[in-house]
């Protein structure tokens, strides 16, 4: 009887073994300093039964397309205005589930040491995607370089410029290419996740920077709407939103601030 009981227990253990394996989750992120943070998130998540497989992208358009297609389980690279625009234009059913960082966008130049040194007729590079392009225009307006129509919200376009006293030439350029464009333009508004890998330090090398107070551009982890209540989602968010990651962001991600 005893031997039979032991055999049943051993059999039950073997049957249960597959259920104990870590659940694999593919997460799309932007390349750069965020890879440092997600290496630690992967380590923390593993303790809770999640095998986080990080997939690095070098542009802003592919991570949502990959998530929508089912090639990713989650992504973490974008803010709400960007997702709202993608949802509107592409019909994605993607939703935020946990905030990560906010990275105030900066204005950089190799030819001017301050905004006041921006000359008439200067060429200014801004991101060519609607949300970050609008964000750049708002920064230029905050610095008194242009004026936008009233009521444009957080998604203005170059068509909304109603006053351009210095006759600036606004050039819309792929966000990832903007650091390289500094040799070809007089100044450029560059997202922090592209500025830092290029050796630009927000707040130090920038001649102007967006305020981090009440900033609508907090980044977040996103998943497909149908997955938002899945148990692994809460585990993934907890693996990011903790004191270890908060301190790591402060220590290793210049220009970025924990948003949780």
């Amino acid at each position: 009887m005893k031997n039979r009981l032991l055999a049943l227990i051993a059999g039950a253990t073997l049957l249960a073994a597959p259920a104990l394996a870590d659940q694999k989750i593919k997460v799309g992120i932007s390349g750069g300093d965020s890879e440092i943070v997600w290496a630690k998130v992967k380590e923390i998540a593993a303790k809770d039964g999640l095998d986080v497989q990080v997939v690095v992208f070098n542009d802003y358009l592919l991570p949502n397309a990959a998530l929508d297609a089912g090639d990713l389980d989650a992504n973490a690279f974008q803010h709400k205005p960007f997702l709202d625009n993608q949802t509107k234009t592409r019909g994605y059913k993607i939703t935020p589930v946990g905030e990560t960082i906010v990275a105030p966008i900066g204005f950089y130049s190799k030819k001017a040491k301050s905004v006041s040194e921006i000359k008439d007729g200067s060429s200014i590079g801004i991101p060519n995607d609607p949300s970050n392009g609008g964000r750049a225009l708002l920064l230029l307006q905050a610095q008194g370089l242009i004026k936008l129509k009233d009521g444009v919200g957080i998604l203005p376009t170059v068509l909304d410029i109603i006053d351009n006293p210095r006759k600036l030439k606004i050039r819309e350029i792929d966000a990832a290419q903007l650091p390289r464009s500094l040799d070809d333009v007089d100044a450029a508004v560059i997202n922090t996740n592209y500025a830092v890998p290029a050796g630009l330090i927000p707040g130090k090398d920038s001649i102007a920077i967006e305020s981090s107070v009440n900033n609508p551009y907090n980044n977040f982890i996103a998943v497909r709407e149908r997955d938002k209540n899945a148990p692994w989602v809460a585990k993934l968010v907890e693996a990011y939103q903790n004191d270890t990651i908060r301190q790591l962001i402060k220590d290793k991600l210049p220009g970025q601030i924990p948003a949780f």
Side-chain angles (χ1 to χ4, degrees):
M1 180 67 179
K2 182 178 179 180
N3 290 338
R4 183 182 177 187
L5 180 59
L6 290 173
L8 288 171
I9 292 172
T13 301
L14 288 172
L15 289 172
L20 297 176
D22 286 353
Q23 183 174 1
K24 288 182 172 61
I25 301 297
K26 287 186 178 180
V27 181
I29 67 169
S30 291
D33 284 352
S34 58
E35 294 177 68
I36 299 172
V37 173
W38 277 92
K40 178 59 71 172
V41 172
K42 177 181 175 70
E43 181 183 313
I44 294 171
K47 298 175 183 177
D48 205 12
L50 284 186
D51 179 5
V52 174
Q53 301 178 344
V54 175
V55 182
V56 178
F57 292 85
N58 291 313
D59 72 20
Y60 285 150
L61 299 179
L62 292 177
N64 278 337
L67 178 57
D68 183 71
D71 297 323
L72 298 174
D73 299 294
N75 65 38
F77 76 102
Q78 64 191 320
H79 48 62
K80 193 66 164 54
F82 183 85
L83 177 59
D84 287 346
N85 180 263
Q86 290 261 289
T87 298
K88 180 179 179 180
T89 59
R90 299 172 184 247
Y92 295 146
K93 296 187 182 300
I94 295 172
T95 187
V97 291
E99 293 185 323
T100 55
I101 56 97
V102 59
I105 202 167
F107 190 33
Y108 301 86
S109 176
K110 290 185 176 181
K111 301 173 184 177
K113 295 181 180 180
S114 67
V115 173
S116 63
E117 291 185 10
I118 298 294
K119 297 178 180 178
D120 291 359
S122 291
S123 57
I124 309 296
I126 67 171
N128 67 353
D129 64 273
S131 60
N132 288 300
R135 187 179 184 183
L137 292 173
L138 289 170
L139 178 58
L140 296 179
Q141 177 173 252
Q143 297 302 313
L145 293 173
I146 61 171
K147 184 177 180 181
L148 301 166
K149 292 178 184 176
D150 290 337
V152 292
I154 58 175
L155 290 175
T157 71
V158 293
L159 298 176
D160 294 315
I161 299 173
I162 59 173
D163 192 16
N164 184 0
R166 300 194 196 182
K167 296 180 173 55
L168 302 177
K169 300 169 185 175
I170 308 297
R171 293 180 55 188
E172 296 174 286
I173 299 170
D174 180 77
Q177 301 304 316
L178 280 166
R180 297 189 187 95
S181 80
L182 282 177
D183 290 325
D184 303 315
V185 298
D186 296 297
V189 182
I190 306 175
N191 291 82
T192 294
N193 63 305
Y194 291 130
V196 172
L200 300 169
I201 302 175
K204 179 182 177 182
D205 297 322
S206 55
I207 59 174
I209 197 161
E210 184 181 64
S211 172
S212 61
V213 178
N214 298 320
N215 193 305
Y217 299 101
N218 287 359
N219 284 16
F220 49 76
I221 297 168
V223 301
R224 290 181 294 276
E225 288 182 359
R226 67 174 181 268
D227 292 331
K228 65 182 179 181
N229 294 318
W232 63 263
V233 172
K235 290 182 179 181
L236 181 63
V237 172
E238 288 171 6
Y240 195 107
Q241 293 184 348
N242 54 72
D243 289 341
T244 298
I245 298 301
R246 183 179 288 109
Q247 191 61 48
L248 183 60
I249 292 169
K250 292 178 180 179
D251 293 342
K252 299 292 186 180
L253 272 65
Q256 301 189 31
I257 303 166
F260 55 92

